[in-house]
């Protein structure tokens, strides 16, 4: 999975950045699942589901704390939409987008190849900027591969 690319329509990405910012209100982390279709190394995002829509208490602690009920809502949404969970994305308060101990030891999906994105400054930066966004790929046993260095070429904002 190391040559993986994620394609997202730029309008969907813009909406995602604005929603993460709005839901976090500049004072707490927020996040979402990116759903879509996978074709080998190429992932195409077709839908976004926000943590606090699936689990209304997910953001209450200031950091993401997603509960089991949220997962059943997620699976039922995926089934209806016929889409897979490709990645998750969440915000961090400052410029540090390395994984916290919690991020590392609590993968939202403990599945090989699952991707996790972290956006700096509660997503308050310009929506089109990929600067500071980190990308991790889950391997196994709480081990992740850091793909952040190649993020600009792995995250493709598309017009189609
Ligand atoms: Zn985190």
């Amino acid at each position: 999975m190391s040559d993986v690319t994620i394609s997202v329509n730029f309008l969907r990405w813009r909406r995602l950045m604005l929603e993460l910012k709005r839901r976090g209100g500049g004072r707490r982390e927020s996040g979402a699942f990116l759903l879509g279709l996978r074709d080998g190394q190429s992932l195409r995002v077709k839908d976004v589901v926000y943590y606090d829509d699936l689990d209304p208490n997910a953001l209450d602690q200031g950091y993401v704390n997603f509960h089991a009920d949220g997962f059943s809502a997620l699976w039922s949404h995926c089934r209806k939409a016929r889409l897979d969970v490709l990645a998750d994305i969440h915000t961090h308060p400052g410029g540090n987008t390395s994984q916290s101990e919690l991020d590392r030891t609590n993968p939202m999906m403990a599945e090989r190849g699952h991707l996790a994105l972290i956006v700096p400054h509660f997503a308050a930066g310009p929506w089109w900027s990929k600067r500071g966004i980190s990308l991790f790929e889950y391997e196994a046993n709480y081990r992740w591969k850091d793909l952040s260095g190649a993020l600009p070429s792995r995250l493709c904002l598309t017009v189609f």
Side-chain angles (χ1 to χ4, degrees), residues 7 29 39 41 47 50 54 58 66 92-93 102 111 119 133-135 140-141 143 146 150-151 154 157:
S7 304
E29 296 183 3
D39 179 10
Q41 305 272 63
D47 195 7
Y50 296 90
L54 296 167
F66 195 74
H92 274 183
L102 196 68
E111 196 175 89
V119 182
I133 299 179
S134 61
L135 174 65
N141 303 317
R143 278 200 327 271
D146 185 353
L151 178 102
R154 293 174 191 275
L157 304 186

Side-chain angles (χ1 to χ4, degrees), residues 10-160:
F10 80 99
L11 291 172
R12 192 186 299 285
W13 182 260
R14 182 178 70 172
R15 171 98 195 270
L16 170 62
M17 290 301 117
L18 296 178
E19 278 296 314
L20 290 177
K21 178 181 168 187
R22 185 181 71 78
R23 289 163 190 258
R27 57 188 170 80
R28 60 180 191 177
E29 296 183 3
S30 65
F33 291 102
L34 307 185
L35 314 183
L37 302 171
R38 185 188 295 267
D39 179 10
Q41 305 272 63
S42 161
L43 311 183
R44 188 169 298 273
V45 175
K46 301 276 193 188
D47 195 7
V48 171
V49 199
Y50 296 90
Y51 291 162
D52 48 321
D53 286 341
L54 296 167
D55 169 5
N57 303 117
L59 311 181
D60 289 355
Q61 248 111 19
Y63 57 90
V64 171
N65 188 8
F66 195 74
H67 303 88
D69 286 359
F71 279 108
S72 27
L74 174 66
W75 302 141
S76 115
H77 183 92
C78 285
R79 232 181 354 257
K80 272 182 227 145
R82 295 172 185 271
L83 297 173
D84 294 324
V85 177
L86 303 177
D88 63 73
I89 186 166
H90 76 282
T91 60
H92 274 183
N96 183 350
T97 52
S98 45
Q99 284 181 307
S100 67
E101 184 64 10
L102 196 68
D103 293 337
R104 197 179 60 77
T105 56
N106 288 278
M108 296 303 278
M109 304 269 298
E111 196 175 89
R112 191 180 197 85
H114 178 72
L115 299 172
L117 291 134
I118 304 177
V119 182
H121 303 296
F122 292 134
W127 67 265
W128 58 88
S129 171
K130 302 175 190 172
R131 194 184 180 129
I133 299 179
S134 61
L135 174 65
F136 300 89
E137 180 184 327
Y138 191 70
E139 296 190 308
N141 303 317
Y142 310 120
R143 278 200 327 271
W144 297 77
K145 198 187 291 173
D146 185 353
L147 305 177
S148 309
L151 178 102
S153 57
R154 293 174 191 275
L155 176 65
C156 313
L157 304 186
T158 65
V159 291
F160 43 83

